[in-house]
């Protein structure tokens, strides 16, 4: 394999202007290549954050929440089971408790188990929370919800209102929620489309605090200090691999500053201690490769509630106990991952990977919570779009890795059949109901071969067809036979690797 170094293009005009403004020549070129035009763009004080007024529905949702809190509505946060979802939940819980303290706010959280309930606000999740002894009046999704059409509809039927906060790309149809706060929703002019789920929740809290100030509940002196939550915002943003545009750099840099100065949640400090790291030397590397994996281990192997409890604990002793358990889980995750990767590489030993367009592997012994990491490792090693299957309660779980920031989270599927030759050429999969997808890419409906199809990216298509389809050909080479069947079937098609 030949490694090519490609020079990033930059504006010589901008680089020269930055250099003339006092920036070092090398840094001037680096900054210009990253889109920086003015020296003041390098300022990272909180006052330079994009105002919440530019985030569609943020101020309206804040007014809605303020009225709900004043009317003592019961709130429930529905979280996701990765680090972004856990930190977003912790930010929401801590922030809403502080802002709702004058009314003794009733708020709790629920995080779906990835193995039994899947991703997001599903109808099953809604039914579970509606059956609680003290059911909520309002559900607030964090880091999920934009694809939860059926779940929001179920909540509406049961008289539960839904406020969606999310950052994933939406489908053509949006859920019928009371409000949706998402920088990537249609007609949202918010400049920072890279805002993570935890960042969206933080913005909503900023707008809510401003609304309560307008109502005379707080003054600038008595208002809760939401900047105390920036350590959590920084962790979730970095761990979710959100692009560090200027707005995210402001959030992350200020969060790291607080960690370095010792101003952090007990859970953040405990995670540093459990990992044997010094928080006074904190960096984005620590957040992404030390703290993030330990929190994610809970969602991968057990229940992310453990990670959220660690972030919500105000007792250093309790937080440290939980952090040590998360550290133990992460070591277990590494062992499982190493075994799965070894098995995967062994299964590829007789296959000329260089001649394949994609890799697709399945194994009865693999852990469904770790297949995403293994898919990523194989994708990085072989530079091929990679799909990994592991057994789940409803058949095989599916985790693709198709490229940097091009992936689909939690596509739950049953394997009907798959091609021979080591699953190299593709897989026919089936799923009842709407296909739930989340990630940094969008799934757009297309009128494809013989029926409704969906485009994932330039090399991956999923086509739904229940007709008597013989052989689908794509890029003139790879084809699949789909016999007539009354079940709706999905088929993944891949173009030749270029």
């Amino acid at each position: 394999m030949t490694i090519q170094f490609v020079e990033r293009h930059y504006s010589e005009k901008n680089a020269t202007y930055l250099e003339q403004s006092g920036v070092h020549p090398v840094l001037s070129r680096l900054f210009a290549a990253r889109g920086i035009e003015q020296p003041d763009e390098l300022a990272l004080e909180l006052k330079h954050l994009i105002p919440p007024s530019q985030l569609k529905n943020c101020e309206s949702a804040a007014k809605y929440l303020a009225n709900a809190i004043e009317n003592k509505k019961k709130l429930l946060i529905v979280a996701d089971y990765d680090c972004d979802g856990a930190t977003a939940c912790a930010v929401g819980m801590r922030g809403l408790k502080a802002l709702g303290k004058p009314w003794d706010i009733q708020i709790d959280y629920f995080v779906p188990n990835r193995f039994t309930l899947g991703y997001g606000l599903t109808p099953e999740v809604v039914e579970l929370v509606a059956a609680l002894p003290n059911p909520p009046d309002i559900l607030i999704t964090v880091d999920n919800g934009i694809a939860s059409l059926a779940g929001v509809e179920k909540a509406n039927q049961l008289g539960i209102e839904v406020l969606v906060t999310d950052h994933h790309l939406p489908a053509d149809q949006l859920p019928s929620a009371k409000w949706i706060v998402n920088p990537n929703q249609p007609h949202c002019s918010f400049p920072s489309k890279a805002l993570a789920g935890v960042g969206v929740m933080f913005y909503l809290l900023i707008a809510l605090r401003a609304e309560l100030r307008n109502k005379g509940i707080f003054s600038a002196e008595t208002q809760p200090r939401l900047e105390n939550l920036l350590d959590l915002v920084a962790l979730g943003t970095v761990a979710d691999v959100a692009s560090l545009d200027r707005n995210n750099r402001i959030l992350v840099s200020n969060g790291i500053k607080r960690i370095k100065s010792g101003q952090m949640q007990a859970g953040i400090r405990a995670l540093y201690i459990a990992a044997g790291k010094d928080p006074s030397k904190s960096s984005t590397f620590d957040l992404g490769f030390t703290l993030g994996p330990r929190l994610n281990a809970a969602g991968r192997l057990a229940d992310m509630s453990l990670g959220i409890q660690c972030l919500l604990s105000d007792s250093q002793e309790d937080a440290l106990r939980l952090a040590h358990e998360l550290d133990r889980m992460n070591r277990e995750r590494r062992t499982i991952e190493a075994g799965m990767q070894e098995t995967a590489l062994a299964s590829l030993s007789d296959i000329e990977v260089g001649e394949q367009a994609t890799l697709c592997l399945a194994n009865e012994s693999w852990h469904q919570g770790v297949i995403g990491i293994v898919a990523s490792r194989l994708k990085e090693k072989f530079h091929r779009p990679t799909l990994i299957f592991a057994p789940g309660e409803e058949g095989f779980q599916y985790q693709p890795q198709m490229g940097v920031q091009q992936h689909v989270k939690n596509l739950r599927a049953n394997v009907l059949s798959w091609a021979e030759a080591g699953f190299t050429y593709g897989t026919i999969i089936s799923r009842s109901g709407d296909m739930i997808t989340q990630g940094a890419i969008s799934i757009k409906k297309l009128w494809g071969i013989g029926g409704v199809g969906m485009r994932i990216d330039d090399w991956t298509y999923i086509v739904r067809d229940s007709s008597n389809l013989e052989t689908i050909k794509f890029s003139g080479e790879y084809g699949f036979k789909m016999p007539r069947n009354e079940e709706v079937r999905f088929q993944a098609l891949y173009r030749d690797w270029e």
Side-chain angles (χ1 to χ4, degrees):
M1 182 181 298
T2 303
I3 298 177
Q4 293 182 324
F5 292 93
V6 180
E7 183 178 358
R8 185 185 296 215
H9 297 292
Y10 65 93
S11 167
E12 293 187 6
K13 177 183 176 181
N14 293 341
T16 301
Y17 181 72
L18 290 170
E19 184 177 348
Q20 291 173 347
S21 301
V23 180
H24 189 280
V26 175
L27 290 177
S28 296
R29 294 194 294 272
L30 289 173
F31 290 147
R34 284 157 177 78
I36 293 176
E37 301 177 357
Q38 304 289 334
D40 58 4
E41 293 180 46
L42 300 173
L44 299 178
E45 291 84 7
L46 287 173
K47 65 181 180 181
H48 296 296
L49 278 175
I50 302 168
S53 58
Q54 294 190 39
L55 183 57
K56 182 179 179 180
N57 294 336
C58 190
E59 292 184 323
S60 297
K63 292 179 180 179
Y64 164 76
L65 266 184
N67 292 331
I69 291 172
E70 288 178 330
N71 292 320
K72 296 190 175 181
K73 298 287 188 179
K74 297 184 289 293
L75 310 180
L76 182 73
I77 294 177
V78 179
D80 187 16
Y81 41 68
D82 65 2
C83 189
D84 186 21
T87 52
C89 180
V91 165
M93 288 290 295
R94 287 186 174 276
L96 288 171
K97 280 185 176 180
L99 294 168
K101 189 174 181 180
W103 298 274
D104 192 22
I105 185 175
Q106 299 183 65
I107 183 169
D108 205 343
Y109 71 91
F110 180 88
V111 54
N113 185 295
R114 74 186 301 163
F115 307 118
T116 58
L117 294 172
Y119 171 82
L121 184 67
T122 62
E124 293 80 8
V125 169
V126 174
E127 290 174 350
L128 279 175
V129 300
L132 293 172
N134 193 23
D137 301 304
I138 299 172
L139 298 177
I140 304 172
T141 69
V142 292
D143 193 33
N144 73 92
I146 197 65
S148 301
L149 276 68
V152 173
E153 182 59 34
K154 185 65 176 181
N156 291 336
Q157 293 172 5
L158 297 177
I160 302 175
E161 296 180 348
V162 180
L163 166 58
V164 170
T165 74
D166 201 350
H167 69 118
H168 296 107
L169 294 172
D172 294 338
Q173 184 179 351
L174 297 179
S176 55
K178 199 73 176 177
W179 292 105
I180 298 175
V181 184
N182 183 336
N184 289 300
Q185 67 177 304
H187 312 298
C188 180
S189 60
F190 193 72
S192 177
K193 301 300 182 182
L195 201 62
V198 66
V200 176
M201 187 67 237
F202 184 70
Y203 259 81
L204 180 58
L205 293 176
I206 294 174
L208 176 58
R209 184 176 67 176
E211 176 63 21
L212 294 176
R213 275 201 317 268
N214 293 337
K215 288 175 172 284
I217 307 302
F218 299 116
S219 66
E221 292 73 29
T222 63
Q223 66 182 3
R225 304 299 172 188
L226 296 180
E227 60 269 23
N228 294 340
L229 303 173
L230 283 171
D231 55 341
L232 295 169
V233 177
L235 173 56
T237 300
V238 173
D240 212 47
V241 202
S243 176
L244 291 183
D245 59 15
R246 188 191 184 192
N247 207 62
N248 277 342
R249 286 202 307 273
I250 293 173
L251 293 171
V252 170
S253 65
N254 281 276
I256 290 178
K257 284 179 182 178
R258 296 188 66 82
I259 294 173
K260 284 183 172 181
S261 65
Q263 298 174 290
M264 70 195 92
Q265 317 301 322
I268 298 291
R269 185 186 302 278
L271 287 168
Y272 271 98
I273 294 173
K277 296 287 186 177
D278 182 359
S280 68
K281 299 178 181 178
S282 178
S283 67
T284 53
F285 183 90
D286 293 333
L287 300 182
F289 294 97
T290 301
L291 274 65
R294 282 164 174 78
L295 277 174
N296 279 328
R300 294 187 184 280
L301 301 186
D303 187 345
M304 183 49 92
S305 295
L306 186 70
I308 296 174
Q309 288 172 26
C310 180
L311 298 178
L312 290 177
S313 177
D314 291 322
S315 164
Q316 192 63 58
E317 182 181 355
D318 289 342
L320 191 56
R321 174 180 54 80
L322 293 166
H324 280 303
E325 177 61 17
L326 291 170
D327 183 66
R328 183 199 64 77
M329 285 185 176
N330 192 50
R331 291 196 304 272
E332 180 183 354
R333 186 270 305 170
R334 289 175 181 170
T335 301
I336 294 172
E337 177 193 338
M340 289 172 58
Q341 189 168 342
E342 182 179 353
T343 304
L345 291 173
S347 68
L348 291 171
S349 60
D350 297 329
I351 297 175
E352 294 293 335
V353 175
E355 298 179 0
Q356 310 304 329
T358 66
L359 299 177
C360 185
L361 302 168
N363 192 293
E364 291 280 357
S365 67
W366 285 347
H367 193 294
Q368 58 178 291
V370 186
I371 54 177
I373 302 177
V374 175
S376 178
R377 299 283 190 265
L378 294 177
K379 182 261 298 180
E380 292 169 358
K381 180 177 178 64
F382 295 109
H383 307 283
R384 295 292 184 272
T386 302
L387 297 94
I388 296 292
F389 288 87
E393 289 189 0
E394 299 178 2
F396 273 78
Q397 296 294 114
Y398 161 80
Q399 179 69 46
Q401 278 289 332
M402 284 161 275
V404 178
Q405 291 188 344
Q406 291 183 323
H407 62 281
V408 180
K409 288 185 180 177
N410 197 51
L411 176 56
R412 297 170 61 85
N414 290 335
V415 175
L416 295 181
S417 61
W418 49 84
E420 296 179 357
F423 306 92
T424 302
Y425 296 107
T427 304
I428 301 173
I429 57 177
S430 170
R431 185 193 191 286
S432 60
D434 295 333
M435 192 168 69
I436 300 174
T437 57
Q438 285 293 315
I441 58 171
S442 63
I443 298 252
K444 297 180 179 179
K445 290 183 179 179
L446 298 174
W447 287 101
I449 304 172
V452 177
M454 292 185 180
R455 173 183 181 274
I456 293 183
D457 57 32
D458 286 340
W459 57 64
T460 307
Y461 286 76
I462 294 177
V463 178
R464 183 177 70 185
D465 196 315
S466 58
S467 64
N468 187 12
L469 190 63
E470 293 297 328
T471 302
I472 300 176
K473 290 187 177 296
F474 187 56
S475 292
E477 182 172 349
Y478 296 107
F480 306 83
K481 291 184 180 299
M482 290 183 65
R484 181 176 180 82
N485 195 303
E486 295 303 320
E487 298 179 12
V488 174
R489 292 190 174 189
F490 293 89
Q491 181 153 9
L493 307 178
Y494 313 96
R495 74 176 183 185
D496 295 344
W497 185 261
E498 298 178 350

